[in-house]
């Protein structure tokens, strides 16, 4: 593992599990100190190079406080990864307004609040922001009106921020995974009465058709590193050919 992040400080939301945890561990393996944000305080097993902060990314004041705490701990922030997310799928006519609100609040508003709080600190260090969207945010996806709307919003937000902050030295990019082998994916409730033809739509073409979180974390580590200097505004699909 190279030392691309030696002397750097990262902040990762959703770091207690799944992709967020894999990303925090990947960045630490490359030399970073990592502030790990999640609903429950969990340093992703990083020990002295990790800081566990409990926060709900929907909480405006809580997010601002968490970012400030991470800055005080690390002396600044060089990379922010917004990996906190929730998902559910179902027939659009069955989606309750409360569920619509929950998916947008965590996936989109949480990304916005984290970015807004962190951007002044990233600007001070000419750092990078990597957002996590989804294949569902860049192409039609079955039974996912709310989730797709939220993740599509993350993609649009990423591009807007990339343009707005390009001249400040802050880079903003997005990774769009397909299916990832995480507890979040495994615990999704099947859609009642789902059409098999739609379930086959958007499946990965590679074998096995599901990625490991460490594979996506490797892409995030690249996008957040100086090696990706020319990638600002990029939206990287990691979907095994499902969207090809």
């Amino acid at each position: 593992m190279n030392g691309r992040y030696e002397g750097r400080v990262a902040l990762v939301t959703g770091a207690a599990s799944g992709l967020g945890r894999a990303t925090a561990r990947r960045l630490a393996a490359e030399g970073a100190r990592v502030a790990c944000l999640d609903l429950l305080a969990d340093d992703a097993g990083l020990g002295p190079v990790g800081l566990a902060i409990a926060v709900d990314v929907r909480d405006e004041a809580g997010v601002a406080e968490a970012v400030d705490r991470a800055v005080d701990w690390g002396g600044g922030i060089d990379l922010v990864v917004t990996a906190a997310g929730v998902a559910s799928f179902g027939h659009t006519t069955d989606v309750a307004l409360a569920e619509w609100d929950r998916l947008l609040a965590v996936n989109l508003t949480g990304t916005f609040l984290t970015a807004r709080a962190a951007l002044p600190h990233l600007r001070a260090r000419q750092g990078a922001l990597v957002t996590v969207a989804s294949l569902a945010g860049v192409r039609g996806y079955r039974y996912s009106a709310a989730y797709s709307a939220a993740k599509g919003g993350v993609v649009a937000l990423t591009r807007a921020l990339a343009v707005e902050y390009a001249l400040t030295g802050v880079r903003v990019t997005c990774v769009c995974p397909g299916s990832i082998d995480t507890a979040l994916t495994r615990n999704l409730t099947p859609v009642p009465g789902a059409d098999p033809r739609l379930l086959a739509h958007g499946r990965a073409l590679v074998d096995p058709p599901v990625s490991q979180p460490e594979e996506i974390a490797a892409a995030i580590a690249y996008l957040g590193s100086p090696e990706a200097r020319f990638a600002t505004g990029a939206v990287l699909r990691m979907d095994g050919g499902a969207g090809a």
Side-chain angles (χ1 to χ4, degrees), residues 202-239:
R203 284 183 177 169
L205 303 177
V206 301
D207 187 28
V210 177
S211 69
Q212 295 301 310
E214 291 78 12
E215 295 175 295
I216 310 303
I220 291 172
Y222 163 71
L223 287 173
S225 76
E227 292 178 277
R229 180 192 70 84
F230 216 59
T232 197
V235 178
L236 176 60
R237 293 201 322 210
M238 297 283 289
D239 57 19

Side-chain angles (χ1 to χ4, degrees), residues 120-206:
H121 305 291
L122 291 175
R123 184 170 181 173
R125 301 270 280 253
Q126 293 193 322
L129 168 65
V130 181
T131 65
V132 177
S134 167
L135 173 62
V138 292
R139 61 160 296 172
Y141 206 77
R142 73 271 187 182
Y143 307 118
S144 65
Y147 184 70
S148 291
K151 291 300 191 178
V154 171
V155 172
L157 174 62
T158 299
R159 288 172 169 150
L161 294 178
V163 172
E164 182 176 349
Y165 284 88
L167 300 183
T168 72
V170 175
R171 293 186 307 101
V172 188
T173 57
C174 179
V175 63
C176 291
S179 295
I180 312 175
D181 183 17
T182 64
L184 174 67
T185 302
R186 292 191 296 270
N187 293 332
L188 286 172
T189 302
V191 177
D195 189 316
R197 294 170 299 175
L198 296 184
L199 293 179
H201 178 71
R203 284 183 177 169
L205 303 177
V206 301

